[in-house]
Amino acid sequence: MRLIRNIFRRKLRAFLTIFGISIGVFALLVMGALAEKLTLLVDGGMRYYEGKVVVTAPTQFAGLVSTPLKASLLREIEHVEGVARVSASVSALLDKEIPAVSMGNIPTIQAEDGRAKGYEKFVFGYTAGRELRNTDVGKVALGADLVKRLNGAVGGHVEIRGKRYEVVGIADKTLTAPDNAVMMTMEDARRIVHEDLPDAVRDSVDPNSIVSSFAVYLEEGERPEVVARRIERQVDNVEAMTPLDFERQVKQPLAIFTSIIYAVALVSLLVGGLSVVNTMTMSVAERTREIGVRKAIGASNAQIMGQFIAESAVIGLIGGLAGLVMGLLVTVAGNAAGEATGNALFLVTNRLVVGAVTFAVALGTLSGLYPAWHAASLNPVEALRYE
Amino acid sequence: MSEQAAHVVEALYGGEPQSQADGAYIIQTRDLTKRYQLGRNNFVDALRGATLDIRRGEMAAIMGPSGSGKSTFMHIAGCLDVADGGEVWLNGRRVDGLSARELVGIRRKEIGFIFQGFNLIPTLTAEENVALAGEYAGMGRGVALNRARELLEMVGLGDRTRHVPSELSGGQQQRVAIARALVNDPGIVMGDEPTGDLDTTTSEEIVGMMRTVNRERGTTFLIVTHNPEVASACDRTVRMRDGVVVDDGDGTPPGP
Ligand SMILES: Nc1ncnc2c1ncn2[C@@H]1O[C@H](COP(=O)(O)OP(=O)(O)OP(=O)(O)O)[C@@H](O)[C@H]1O
Ligand SMILES: [Mg+2]
């Protein structure tokens, strides 16, 4: 292709320019994949919180440490006006130690009393086996992302916190929290939570009344915010979280974080774009005499302009594709490494791939506009005299 | 141009060129002037009233000292540049004052150019270089390439069609340039020192080739040269000095 030959007239320069663009696309893709993953997680959270109120103990230290609630609170909450149903759940970290750095979902243990059935809208099916029942003591169902990590299969056994459990089911992939959860009975989960409590409080807590949170389902027409305030007023020492609270606490910071991520990536891409402007300007200057010859043999201004724009668009395209390949390598490798711990950091979506490459081509085209215009507007005679 | 010179032109040509019914002239210029402004009070008059007729089918040389305005004249007569004053007639049609867009159209169809030295696009093969002029003029790529190969065959480069300029000798490159100038079958080919970079033998070869094309296809040639041997191979030699034609080579003395 003649265009490619023109671009690679100066091999090192062409390579560096393309590299500049590809670094930008690489950054856009990797950072974008991170943002897409976080967005997905948060959207999952939004779906989970939708239409209900979640009651927990007042948060202490960034929500990582919270003392358990008491099971007896269930009745109290259910008596609050506007509440249709309350379901208790117990949760704990799958590993006793919290990983120092973690993105995405931390693997957890989840148990619930089954009272949510028919009220909970966030439901998922099972790829293999069946759902866990209240009577399944010593058995578990696994979230999709934990299968590999725990090396579990339906009918087989997995080891959790030093104890063996039989696997009865493997959940469908939900792309959010349940993927990283081991579902077990309240009884089993309560034992683990109780063991995790600090020595000082452990003896004063009755393991059979431990509850981590209550999911509160509302009566028809009630607003979560109103009911949440009622609960906090009528029940001592609890915090009620609504979808709106979740949005405020998680979604908005995420939106800001996402914008920053994209801004950083776009800046690096823009720098790549500037190097295209530079390269094309130099290329036009070097080829001044050639432009004069082209015009003398019949090239119109539009044809000259089209040629240079096409060249820089192709630089953008090649850089975009190279950046895409580098980005895919890193995200795939990163996810493969993360898989072992149940954490896939990146999510490469179609819109991200198409967007990144399109942006690179658009940037290449845009960067070529001025140099191309300059080339087209050269006076043929002056260009021919140029040494 | 001085009043006196204007009288000379009047006497010689009887004012404006008549529309040529028999089409004897391919290009006629009248009183061409061109001034290059270098600074506020600093300018060069490259042309100061250049008048010349080129007959259809002839091969004419332009000679003159460096800076006498030969290239400037050729560019204006070839619709590559515009004069400040004067007239250019091409095939009996007045073309000075046409828009840049219209001039591109004229260059494509009616005029071929050959330059000295760097002349071909270095990244294109011989056949692509030749075809390019056809493509600019609207020929399909396939058609243009076929025509390019025919012409390269004609100039004796049938076995070099896929070579890039750096793989060709100076003489071979100029032959490619001749083929390129002919691809749209123009009435006239203009060469600005086309043999300037070539040794004597190669130079003769190139002029011989232009002569052959001139005889066989009837293409008019206008060649700017510093080489008397190149000029003597032409039908006549036009002489320029200080921006005017001082001798049109037809034996008619231009002034009193
Ligand atoms: N673009 C320009 N800007 C300023 N001066 C110019 C320009 N083009 C030509 N000139 C001047 O106009 C005069 C005529 O130039 P031209 O190139 O037509 O001469 P020439 O006869 O072709 O000379 P040569 O034999 O050296 O090629 C010269 O003095 C030249 O310096
Ligand atoms: Mg010259």
Side-chain angles (χ1 to χ4, degrees), chain B residues 61 63 225-234 237 239:
Chain B
M63 293 192 79
T225 184
H226 284 289
N227 184 341
E229 285 180 28
V230 170
S232 66
C234 295
T237 302
R239 289 185 191 278

Side-chain angles (χ1 to χ4, degrees), chain A residues 2 5-6 9 289-290 292-301 303-304 307 379-382 384-385, chain B residues 36 75 80-81 104 107-108 113 115-119 121-125 128 132-133 135-136 141 180:
Chain A
R2 289 185 283 177
R5 268 184 269 157
N6 272 332
R9 215 180 263 221
R289 205 176 138 89
E290 174 189 320
V293 171
R294 285 179 184 269
K295 286 192 159 190
I297 65 168
S300 65
N301 290 359
Q303 283 166 330
I304 298 283
Q307 182 200 335
N379 174 323
V381 173
E382 303 279 345
L384 281 168
R385 278 170 57 92
Chain B
Y36 288 107
H75 292 148
L80 200 53
D81 202 357
V104 172
R107 284 206 298 278
R108 285 176 179 169
F113 282 100
F115 302 98
Q116 176 184 7
F118 181 101
N119 207 347
I121 314 296
T123 51
L124 301 184
T125 61
E128 286 171 336
L132 185 63
E135 286 175 62
Y136 281 146
R141 187 154 158 74
R180 185 180 63 191

Side-chain angles (χ1 to χ4, degrees), chain B:
Chain B
M1 153 178 215
S2 70
E3 207 171 311
Q4 191 190 24
H7 284 302
V8 172
V9 170
E10 185 78 12
L12 273 176
Y13 301 98
E16 290 192 351
Q18 300 304 302
S19 178
Q20 303 297 325
D22 58 352
Y25 296 112
I26 187 159
I27 288 178
Q28 295 172 289
T29 67
R30 293 292 172 269
D31 283 346
L32 292 181
T33 56
K34 181 79 177 177
R35 171 172 293 183
Y36 288 107
Q37 204 73 41
L38 303 175
R40 185 186 278 270
N41 296 313
N42 188 9
F43 54 81
V44 178
D45 281 318
L47 293 179
R48 334 167 168 247
T51 293
L52 187 67
D53 286 347
I54 308 292
R55 277 185 289 276
R56 191 178 303 284
E58 74 168 333
M59 187 155 163
I62 301 182
M63 293 192 79
S66 190
S68 55
K70 305 181 295 296
S71 295
T72 306
F73 177 81
M74 203 195 81
H75 292 148
I76 292 169
C79 296
L80 200 53
D81 202 357
V82 288
D84 297 332
E87 299 171 8
V88 179
W89 296 69
L90 180 74
N91 291 319
R93 172 192 177 203
R94 191 162 168 184
V95 294
D96 56 274
L98 292 186
S99 69
R101 187 185 293 266
E102 288 168 308
L103 292 180
V104 172
I106 289 175
R107 284 206 298 278
R108 285 176 179 169
K109 278 186 287 175
E110 322 217 15
I111 300 163
F113 282 100
I114 304 169
F115 302 98
Q116 176 184 7
F118 181 101
N119 207 347
L120 304 176
I121 314 296
T123 51
L124 301 184
T125 61
E127 62 181 15
E128 286 171 336
N129 261 288
V130 176
L132 185 63
E135 286 175 62
Y136 281 146
M139 247 182 237
R141 187 154 158 74
V143 177
L145 278 171
N146 278 335
R147 188 151 165 71
R149 286 185 207 113
E150 276 169 34
L151 286 163
L152 286 170
E153 188 80 42
M154 187 194 84
V155 298
L157 290 176
D159 56 344
R160 294 281 191 279
T161 54
R162 300 280 167 88
H163 290 235
V164 290
S166 60
E167 297 165 355
L168 299 172
S169 71
Q172 287 172 330
Q173 290 186 34
Q174 284 311 62
R175 285 198 258 169
V176 175
I178 293 174
R180 185 180 63 191
L182 294 173
V183 80
N184 295 317
D185 228 342
I188 183 165
V189 171
M190 299 188 169
D192 195 349
E193 302 186 41
T195 64
D197 283 348
L198 305 177
D199 61 50
T200 319
T201 327
T202 318
S203 171
E204 274 169 21
E205 204 180 286
I206 292 300
V207 174
M209 179 144 286
M210 293 196 275
R211 191 80 250 195
T212 312
V213 172
N214 166 256
R215 293 234 171 84
E216 290 178 359
R217 305 169 69 107
T219 310
T220 309
F221 277 83
L222 180 64
I223 297 163
V224 171
T225 184
H226 284 289
N227 184 341
E229 285 180 28
V230 170
S232 66
C234 295
D235 296 322
R236 62 166 166 147
T237 302
V238 176
R239 289 185 191 278
M240 288 188 70
R241 186 184 297 275
D242 295 334
V244 290
V245 174
V246 290
D247 177 4
D248 68 5
D250 275 338
T252 35

Side-chain angles (χ1 to χ4, degrees), chain A residues 2 39 70 78-79 81 84 86 103 116 126 128 168-169 171 188 196-197 205 241 251 269 276 280 290 311 325 328 340:
Chain A
R2 289 185 283 177
T39 306
K70 287 211 170 57
E78 222 163 36
H79 281 122
E81 196 192 331
V86 178
M103 304 277 318
Y126 285 77
V168 298
D188 287 335
D196 280 355
L197 287 173
V205 173
M241 179 122 152
K251 208 172 179 189
L269 201 45
V276 176
M280 290 309 292
E290 174 189 320
E311 275 180 32
V325 170
L328 287 178

